[in-house]
Amino acid sequence: MAKILGIDLGTTNSVVAVYDGGEPKILSPSPNRRTTPSIVAFCDDGSRLIGDPARNQQVTNPESTVYSIKRFVGRRQNEVSSEEKLVPYTVVGKPSEYVRVSIGHKKYTPQEISAMILRELKEIAEEQLGETCDRAIITVPAYFNDAQRQATQDAAEIAGFKVERTINEPTAAALAYGVERRGDRNIVIFDFGGGTFDLSAMRIGSGTFEVLAVHGNTHLGGDDFDQRIIDIVAEDFLRKHCIDVRKDPMALQRLKQEAQKAKAELSDRIETDIMVPFICMDASGPKHLEYSLNRARFEAICDDLFDELRRACRTLLTEAGLQTAQIADVVMVGGSTRIPKVQQITREVFQTAELDKSINPDEAVALGAAILGGVIQGDLHNVHLMDVTSHGFGVEEAGGKMLTLMPKNTPIPTTVKKVFSTPKNYQSSVPIIVLEGEAEQATDNRPLGVFRLTGIRRAPRGVPRIEVEFKIDPNGILNVSATDQQTGRSQKITVTGACGLDEAEMKRMKQENKQKAEQAEQRTITGERRIHAEGVLTDMNSWLQYHKQFIPPKSVDRLEAVLGKLELKIKKGDTRGIRAAMKKLDELSAPYRQAG
């Protein structure tokens, strides 16, 4: 049976791993790199670049290079006002519509772009393992809502995966941290990446991983800290030169790269210099950007972001019902946990002198997902996961209030039933409005879906008995059904179309993704054939020069003519011509090569 991949589809970088030989292993895209940048670039010739090649053209092609797509997946336009300010590409959609990314004359869903990254990870794994890899464990932020979870699962299916499980990223990190450890303990997973912030309080021991509570912010990540640096530097340049470099996509991308570099350097230094030569030009000539940033200034301009981290940590403790003295370890996961102030806040809130950094913050989530893959493969035993819902679920009741049927942090999988009646006399149908959130007013929560139970026996209000059942599976996917207890009439919905894709779109995207992958493979084959032909041309030229004295002049002329033709076909990229010339070359040279 094929191996199950563990995949961390990250905002900044993505990682793929597998459980093999009794341990989880990272499958590296190259000898010098263990992660793949979550970047897709669209080229003028219709081809796509993914990972490092895409990142290399961010500056020269910023409006057609998509990064941080995870911050848009499963979200409507009115939910991404802060996110779309952080990227140079165009995000489109009406306020209530799920967003799409506009590149040239085509619009892509975040699921499609995520699928391109996942397909790249699939190919990396297949190349290294030497087998087809179409089963995967996909990780998602613990604080992702239902639409974001389903959108991520859709992306994996578009990429050609059968999703065995989706698992919360902190839970996966806990597996990487504690699957070999002995003894019961309470831990906190502090997962802070490029685009999302997750917290999970867990009780682990004897192979059991029980989530007590989750909290976080899917609108907060390292990208937001980068933007604060960009803004302060750009404002300083604007004051000096009356030019706003943020309005020039290419200049902005260069500044963004330097801001990311400065943020990283301030983790080890007190001060750093941001320098972007020739960032723009005016009538007086080229302009160079220079700015000195120290750690104190960086922390000051990000003070409200740090406060959000602090509040979230305190909320987690309250919801988990834990005192700081009851927490054995705080495990740091995600690249943004390298920021010194983040570590300081974590130590202060959880009152611990040391933070656990025993696992690689960039790889922990993928390794944990691979461990779960090992469990499902049957290679690892006595590991049990007990996760919780990240948000509350309920229905809208009369008066516009939300009736919570499943509170936040309810253990899953779970089923909850509730009997309702009609609010008006002689109703024959009732709309069921499914909501997600914790607010008291229905309008302050996120609508997941609406369906109407019809065929109810006409009776005075309050007489009909309608049972609504909420069921959440281990992946966190919500299913809802309603039944008229007297007539037995029922209707079910799986609140999984809530991310904006219908069955026809899914089918189209799967087919397009497959075709693009085949075209990319063909380009690779063509490139390899060209390299092979160039080698043959060099070798045959050398061979002919050495053996010319032993070959009849007419045969030499024919061989030189074919070598000339081969060189021309290589320059033109004529695959068929290359193949024909090499075949002719082989026929003409064979008698003399065989002769020695």
Side-chain angles (χ1 to χ4, degrees):
M1 185 177 291
K3 296 290 186 183
I4 299 174
L5 302 180
I7 296 179
D8 173 14
L9 181 62
T11 304
T12 308
N13 293 296
S14 294
V15 191
V16 58
V18 68
Y19 193 86
D20 189 34
E23 63 178 355
K25 299 175 181 177
I26 298 294
L27 300 174
S28 306
S30 69
N32 301 319
R33 189 172 182 90
R34 291 166 67 85
T35 64
T36 298
S38 302
I39 305 173
V40 178
F42 296 85
C43 305
D44 293 339
D45 63 0
S47 62
R48 299 189 304 237
L49 301 175
I50 299 168
D52 283 308
R55 186 174 62 176
N56 292 340
Q57 73 157 49
Q58 272 186 294
V59 170
T60 57
N61 190 21
E63 292 169 303
S64 296
T65 303
V66 181
Y67 58 86
S68 295
I69 195 62
K70 185 174 179 177
R71 301 191 75 161
F72 297 96
V73 73
R75 279 184 165 154
R76 298 183 175 96
Q77 179 66 37
N78 58 14
E79 297 173 316
V80 296
S81 57
S82 60
E83 279 77 10
E84 63 181 331
K85 295 175 183 176
L86 306 180
V87 297
Y89 51 87
T90 304
V91 179
V92 298
K94 296 178 181 178
S96 61
E97 291 180 344
Y98 286 90
V99 299
R100 297 187 180 232
V101 173
S102 180
I103 305 290
H105 300 294
K106 187 169 181 181
K107 294 180 176 62
Y108 297 88
T109 66
Q111 292 94 311
E112 286 179 279
I113 294 171
S114 298
M116 296 170 195
I117 299 166
L118 288 167
R119 186 86 192 192
E120 180 74 8
L121 299 178
K122 186 175 188 289
E123 291 173 4
I124 289 169
E126 290 177 340
E127 181 178 341
Q128 293 196 30
L129 297 175
E131 62 182 56
T132 299
C133 300
D134 55 7
R135 305 167 70 203
I137 308 293
I138 306 293
T139 66
V140 295
Y143 221 54
F144 255 19
N145 61 35
D146 191 82
Q148 291 170 304
R149 290 170 184 275
Q150 182 58 40
T152 304
Q153 189 160 322
D154 285 349
E157 291 179 10
I158 293 167
F161 283 114
K162 177 182 182 295
V163 181
E164 297 289 342
R165 271 284 294 273
T166 56
I167 178 176
N168 287 341
E169 289 167 4
T171 306
L175 282 171
Y177 158 84
V179 75
E180 298 294 336
R181 298 185 187 233
R182 298 290 179 265
D184 296 346
R185 68 185 70 192
N186 295 324
I187 66 170
V188 168
I189 304 292
F190 189 106
D191 187 354
F192 191 27
T196 58
F197 172 48
D198 269 336
L199 288 165
S200 285
M202 304 182 68
R203 182 174 293 118
I204 67 172
S206 303
T208 298
F209 294 77
E210 180 186 1
V211 180
L212 304 176
V214 299
H215 196 64
N217 187 338
T218 56
H219 292 275
L220 179 62
D223 289 351
D224 300 282
F225 290 82
D226 298 339
Q227 190 63 39
R228 294 298 173 88
I229 297 175
I230 290 169
D231 286 338
I232 191 174
V233 175
E235 289 293 337
D236 178 75
F237 191 84
L238 178 61
R239 283 193 298 272
K240 292 176 180 177
H241 303 286
C242 298
I243 300 172
D244 190 346
V245 294
R246 289 167 296 190
K247 294 181 179 179
D248 179 343
M250 191 176 294
L252 176 59
Q253 188 57 44
R254 292 179 68 197
L255 176 55
K256 182 176 180 66
Q257 291 182 346
E258 289 303 310
Q260 291 171 333
K261 180 182 174 183
K263 181 185 68 176
E265 289 177 346
L266 287 175
S267 295
D268 302 313
R269 305 181 195 173
I270 298 300
E271 188 171 6
T272 187
D273 292 325
I274 298 171
M275 302 181 69
V276 188
F278 301 99
I279 192 169
C280 63
M281 183 178 292
D282 64 9
S284 65
K287 302 295 179 187
H288 310 297
L289 183 149
E290 296 180 6
Y291 189 91
S292 291
L293 180 65
N294 60 45
R295 188 184 292 176
R297 181 65 172 144
F298 168 67
E299 292 176 355
I301 62 176
C302 298
D303 188 58
D304 59 317
L305 302 180
F306 291 123
D307 277 346
E308 176 57 30
L309 297 178
R310 192 178 285 108
R311 282 193 296 271
C313 291
R314 290 169 177 161
T315 300
L316 179 77
L317 283 172
T318 301
E319 294 184 349
L322 292 175
Q323 301 296 318
T324 54
Q326 296 174 283
I327 298 170
D329 288 313
V330 179
V331 184
M332 306 298 281
V333 179
S336 297
T337 58
R338 293 185 174 94
I339 298 173
K341 185 70 172 181
V342 170
Q343 296 179 17
Q344 178 189 329
I345 290 169
T346 309
R347 283 194 294 266
E348 288 174 356
V349 175
F350 295 107
Q351 298 179 19
T352 178
E354 294 296 329
L355 303 173
D356 192 295
K357 304 174 189 175
S358 60
I359 52 178
N360 187 310
D362 300 318
E363 300 175 1
V365 171
L367 290 171
I371 289 171
L372 180 57
V375 173
I376 295 175
Q377 287 167 192
D379 296 338
L380 192 60
H381 304 282
N382 300 318
V383 175
H384 307 283
L385 300 181
M386 291 179 281
D387 224 319
V388 299
T389 60
S390 56
H391 300 276
F393 295 97
V395 296
E396 182 176 346
E397 60 180 349
K401 299 291 180 95
M402 171 169 166
L403 177 64
T404 300
L405 300 180
M406 203 174 287
K408 176 185 175 183
N409 293 321
T410 296
I412 58 173
T414 188
T415 300
V416 175
K417 297 180 180 180
K418 179 76 173 179
V419 176
F420 296 88
S421 190
T422 50
K424 297 179 182 178
N425 290 328
Y426 308 111
Q427 279 184 268
S428 60
S429 66
V430 171
I432 308 293
I433 302 174
V434 183
L435 302 169
E436 178 182 48
E438 288 74 51
E440 182 179 349
Q441 293 295 322
T443 52
D444 294 333
N445 293 296
R446 197 175 195 279
L448 290 181
V450 181
F451 68 105
R452 183 173 291 275
L453 180 64
T454 60
I456 298 172
R457 180 178 63 87
R458 293 181 179 275
R461 68 185 184 92
V463 173
R465 308 286 289 172
I466 302 163
E467 183 181 76
V468 177
E469 178 183 274
F470 273 53
K471 182 182 292 185
I472 296 185
D473 65 18
N475 295 320
I477 302 298
L478 176 65
N479 298 266
V480 186
S481 64
T483 304
D484 182 342
Q485 291 186 329
Q486 182 162 351
T487 65
R489 187 177 182 86
S490 65
Q491 184 175 341
K492 297 181 180 180
I493 63 167
T494 300
V495 187
T496 56
C499 56
L501 297 183
D502 57 28
E503 189 174 338
E505 275 190 300
M506 281 288 292
K507 185 176 180 179
R508 174 186 63 78
M509 290 177 188
K510 287 179 183 179
Q511 187 61 34
E512 285 185 3
N513 192 279
K514 183 179 179 181
Q515 288 174 350
K516 282 289 186 182
E518 290 172 350
Q519 290 169 5
E521 183 179 3
Q522 186 58 44
R523 281 194 296 272
T524 300
I525 292 170
T526 301
E528 289 173 351
R529 184 174 288 125
R530 179 190 181 111
I531 292 169
H532 174 64
E534 288 172 344
V536 169
L537 180 66
T538 301
D539 292 344
M540 285 303 297
N541 271 316
S542 299
W543 176 86
L544 185 58
Q545 289 302 314
Y546 183 78
H547 291 87
K548 186 180 291 188
Q549 57 184 319
F550 307 111
I551 302 172
K554 287 185 178 180
S555 295
V556 171
D557 291 342
R558 291 193 195 100
L559 284 165
E560 288 179 339
V562 176
L563 284 169
K565 184 179 288 186
L566 177 59
E567 184 175 11
L568 182 63
K569 297 299 181 184
I570 289 172
K571 288 179 179 178
K572 290 183 175 180
D574 182 353
T575 303
R576 184 177 295 178
I578 289 172
R579 189 162 49 241
M582 288 175 64
K583 183 179 180 181
K584 188 66 175 177
L585 195 63
D586 189 56
E587 291 173 358
L588 292 173
S589 65
Y592 309 108
R593 287 187 286 110
Q594 291 168 3

